[in-house]
């Protein structure tokens, strides 16, 4: 994410496999992001002073602007810290914070980060956006997380660098988050438990599972690389039991083991950081 160069991209399980729709590049396919965009919602809440990582928030049955979210396991945790609400990917707090910061602002920041979210034609974005109620591509999600890793500055992705340029730094891009808010998110996501047997030290990541078990996601970064994984069927058929944590996260951590022999530490807090 320092250069924006795409080091590797796998678009399908088999290019010539008709049964798997191998000709479809799933890195650019529009899919439901599940919970992978919750970090942006929390970052906006931190930026606007609506919440702090250690403030308390309610995870109880509620209706927000006519919308009644439930958690993935259909249970509720009661009063929790905001930090815990994000690491546990609780739905009610995410919807409540999106309502507080505003859906329009959330969509605007997504676009400022260089992504192109797709909403149903003729429908205004609503609170369901907190839980993946729209479409976005894997490439866009990687760009968003790369921007968070870079301190809230958009990172345009590119297939290759100019010959002889090496890993040149990108010119300063558009800022879509404050540096402090971006660092807080990275700090919280670094506390998300890794999959069993995985070495999770130094990786900030988030998983997501779309409605109906159609899409499983895991997006993460260390101090140098950002990696995104999508698992599912190209034709959108549900896969019972498919989840981001069980299906995509192990691939994410395996990719981090392969991309570099030594992990680059996550960024330190900004100089003017006020805990």
């Amino acid at each position: 994410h320092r250069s924006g160069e795409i080091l590797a991209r796998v678009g399908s399980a088999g290019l010539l496999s008709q049964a798997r729709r191998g000709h479809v590049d799933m890195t650019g396919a529009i899919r439901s992001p599940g919970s992978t965009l919750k970090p942006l919602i929390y970052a906006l809440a931190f930026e606007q002073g609506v919440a702090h990582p250690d403030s308390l928030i309610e995870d109880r049955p509620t209706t927000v602007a006519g919308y009644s979210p439930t958690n993935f396991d259909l249970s509720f945790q009661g009063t929790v810290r905001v930090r815990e609400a994000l690491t546990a990917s609780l739905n009610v707090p995410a919807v409540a914070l999106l309502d507080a910061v505003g859906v329009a602002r959330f969509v605007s920041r997504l676009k400022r980060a260089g992504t192109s979210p797709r909403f149903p034609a003729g429908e205004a974005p609503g609170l369901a956006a907190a839980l993946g109620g729209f479409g976005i591509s894997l490439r866009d999600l990687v760009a968003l997380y790369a921007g968070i890793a870079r301190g809230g500055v958009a990172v345009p992705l590119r297939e290759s660098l100019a010959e002889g340029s090496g890993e040149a730094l990108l010119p300063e891009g558009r800022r879509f988050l404050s540096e402090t808010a971006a660092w807080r998110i990275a700090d919280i996501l670094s506390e998300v438990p890794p999959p069993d047997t995985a070495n999770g030290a130094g990786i900030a990541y988030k998983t997501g599972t779309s409605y109906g078990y159609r899409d499983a996601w895991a997006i993460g970064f260390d101090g140098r690389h950002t990696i995104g994984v999508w698992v599912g069927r190209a034709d959108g058929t549900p896969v019972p039991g498919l989840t981001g944590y069980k299906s995509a996260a192990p691939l994410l951590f395996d990719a981090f083991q392969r991309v570099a022999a030594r992990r680059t530490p996550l960024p330190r807090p900004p100089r003017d950081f006020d805990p």
Side-chain angles (χ1 to χ4, degrees):
H1 45 252
R2 292 186 293 185
S3 68
E5 182 188 11
I6 298 175
L7 301 179
R9 178 165 59 89
V10 180
S12 70
L15 179 62
L16 302 179
S17 174
Q18 291 296 325
R20 291 188 171 191
R21 307 293 197 275
H23 58 284
V24 179
D25 180 2
M26 296 308 298
T27 66
I30 304 301
R31 311 291 295 204
S32 167
S35 297
T36 58
L37 291 174
K38 286 177 181 175
L40 179 60
I41 297 172
Y42 281 77
L44 293 176
F46 297 158
E47 190 177 276
Q48 296 176 42
V50 172
H52 181 277
D54 292 322
S55 59
L56 299 178
I57 195 166
E58 297 299 316
D59 179 46
R60 304 179 189 277
T62 187
T63 299
V64 182
Y67 183 52
S68 302
T70 58
N71 287 318
F72 186 78
D73 61 2
L74 302 180
S75 67
F76 296 92
Q77 302 300 314
T79 304
V80 297
R81 290 194 304 163
V82 166
R83 175 186 298 273
E84 296 164 349
L86 179 53
T87 57
S89 198
L90 301 179
N91 288 342
V92 173
V95 171
L97 290 177
L98 179 58
D99 184 54
V101 302
V103 178
R105 179 177 283 109
F106 169 70
V107 175
S108 175
R109 293 298 183 91
L110 269 178
K111 294 180 178 178
R112 189 170 180 81
T115 74
S116 300
R118 305 281 184 87
F119 294 90
E123 294 185 19
L127 294 178
L131 310 183
F134 62 99
I136 198 168
S137 70
L138 175 60
R139 182 187 177 105
D140 277 0
L141 281 177
V142 168
L144 173 66
Y145 275 70
I148 294 174
R150 204 160 183 254
V153 176
V155 179
L157 304 185
R158 45 187 173 169
E159 295 289 338
S160 63
L161 298 172
E163 185 176 353
S165 66
E167 193 180 49
L169 294 178
L170 282 168
E172 191 67 17
R174 292 192 302 176
R175 177 164 293 282
F176 66 95
L177 276 179
S178 72
E179 188 177 7
T180 296
W183 182 85
R184 288 191 190 279
I185 290 300
D187 180 55
I188 293 173
L189 294 185
S190 69
E191 298 176 354
V192 178
D196 294 340
T197 72
N199 176 12
I203 294 177
Y205 85 109
K206 181 75 180 73
T207 61
T209 306
S210 70
Y211 178 78
Y213 301 101
R214 290 177 169 83
D215 308 276
W217 306 86
I219 320 289
F221 56 87
D222 64 4
R224 182 177 181 184
H225 297 102
T226 302
I227 301 175
V229 176
W230 170 88
V231 178
R233 290 177 59 101
D235 61 5
T237 302
V239 181
L242 184 77
T243 68
Y245 185 75
K246 292 181 179 180
S247 304
L251 299 178
L252 176 76
F253 282 83
D254 183 58
F256 269 108
Q257 292 294 330
R258 294 167 182 264
V259 75
R262 187 172 299 176
R263 194 158 294 155
T264 305
L266 289 164
R268 295 181 178 180
R271 292 182 179 179
D272 57 349
F273 178 70
D274 182 5

